[in-house]
Amino acid sequence: FQKVTSDTVTTYQQVAELPNANNPESDGSPLSLGKPGEQIFGVRIDESTVKVVTFQQTDPLYLFDITDRKNPQALGELQEDGVSVYLHNFADLTLGIGYDATEGGTRQGLKVELYDGQEGVQSIQQYVFGTYAYTPVDSDYHAFTSKTVVGEPQRYKIAVPATIFTQGYQRDYTGLLLFTLDSSAKTLTHDGTIKTDNKASRQDRSIIQGAAVHYVHKGKIYSSLWADPDTQVVSE
């Protein structure tokens, strides 16, 4: 769709769809978005591509080329267990934040996964935390924080708050998970976690400030150096 604005009203006009005459549906093609019973959980649009995640029991990640807005093309899909509830692009890579799942669709631990996908979709690296988890990124994308490393435009610092549970759905800890993404080397590194308590993380936020990171949780600010998240200064 494209937005059409007049003096009195704003409407949205459909300009293309898939499948179409130029790109008909065929066996093995990802042109039919989703399957019966699946819902859309994550979407990321940039200038030339659209990535869409649907979920019921597995996590299909679909990639579409929208360079020509009137003639979109399906480039590929990736099937895997779990679901990404938030997608974020870094150069030619995409980071997915979500949950692992069993083959039957039962949600499990927090999943942070790096994808390579401009002409296809491929999983590069994956981290799973806990046997069950919750992240406020699930419902509020402002909980996700990223910042380019000064002087290194291909490297990014990433912070994701989450509550991690052990077996039996017992809370283990609530904390801020710290990652470094290198878009040139195509790597994702877990640098550590600012652990606080086992209270829910529903409104947590963070700020990355040079070599430091500040984590807002339950009315307190937990501050540490990025390289030493176990050593914290906590506001009163």
Side-chain angles (χ1 to χ4, degrees):
F1 292 85
Q2 68 178 9
K3 184 165 65 173
V4 179
T5 303
S6 68
D7 293 337
T8 58
V9 66
T10 297
T11 61
Y12 289 86
Q13 178 183 3
Q14 181 177 330
V15 295
E17 65 180 2
L18 281 172
N20 56 40
N22 293 327
N23 297 282
E25 187 172 10
S26 62
D27 292 341
S29 167
L31 292 176
S32 292
L33 178 59
K35 300 172 181 61
E38 290 183 345
Q39 300 179 39
I40 292 176
F41 274 74
V43 177
R44 174 58 62 177
I45 302 172
D46 61 24
E47 287 298 317
S48 60
T49 64
V50 175
K51 300 177 181 72
V52 180
V53 172
T54 63
F55 179 70
Q56 184 182 36
Q57 293 182 332
T58 57
D59 176 6
L61 173 59
Y62 297 92
L63 176 65
F64 299 92
D65 184 344
I66 58 168
T67 305
D68 181 351
R69 295 294 197 268
K70 295 184 179 180
N71 184 33
Q73 300 181 50
L75 298 181
E77 73 175 273
L78 175 67
Q79 293 274 354
E80 60 181 0
D81 294 334
V83 60
S84 294
V85 297
Y86 178 65
L87 299 172
H88 196 100
N89 288 337
F90 294 93
D92 292 337
L93 305 177
T94 298
L95 187 71
I97 308 295
Y99 305 102
D100 194 21
T102 65
E103 292 183 357
T106 301
R107 198 179 87 177
Q108 296 187 311
L110 179 75
K111 182 174 72 169
V112 181
E113 189 161 8
L114 186 62
Y115 300 97
D116 187 1
Q118 288 296 305
E119 298 180 357
V121 186
Q122 177 183 359
S123 175
I124 300 175
Q125 203 167 351
Q126 179 186 116
Y127 290 93
V128 176
F129 300 87
T131 56
Y132 183 78
Y134 168 78
T135 173
V137 179
D138 193 327
S139 57
D140 188 347
Y141 302 150
H142 293 290
F144 177 88
T145 304
S146 67
K147 186 177 180 64
T148 305
V149 176
V150 176
E152 299 182 77
Q154 79 283 0
R155 289 169 57 85
Y156 307 86
K157 292 181 177 180
I158 298 164
V160 180
T163 300
I164 306 300
F165 297 78
T166 60
Q167 290 184 344
Y169 298 100
Q170 297 296 313
R171 284 178 181 163
D172 186 8
Y173 63 88
T174 290
L176 187 70
L177 284 71
L178 308 179
F179 301 89
T180 297
L181 188 155
D182 189 319
S183 61
S184 178
K186 297 186 178 181
T187 58
L188 179 69
T189 304
H190 176 221
D191 296 326
T193 303
I194 299 177
K195 294 184 178 181
T196 59
D197 49 37
N198 61 2
K199 297 179 182 179
S201 58
R202 296 192 180 278
Q203 296 181 324
D204 290 5
R205 296 290 188 271
S206 62
I207 298 174
I208 300 170
Q209 185 180 34
V213 57
H214 310 284
Y215 174 35
V216 181
H217 170 69
K218 291 294 182 181
K220 293 185 177 181
I221 301 175
Y222 296 76
S223 299
S224 76
L225 294 176
W226 189 275
D228 186 18
D230 293 331
T231 303
Q232 307 159 10
V233 176
V234 184
S235 67
E236 296 297 333

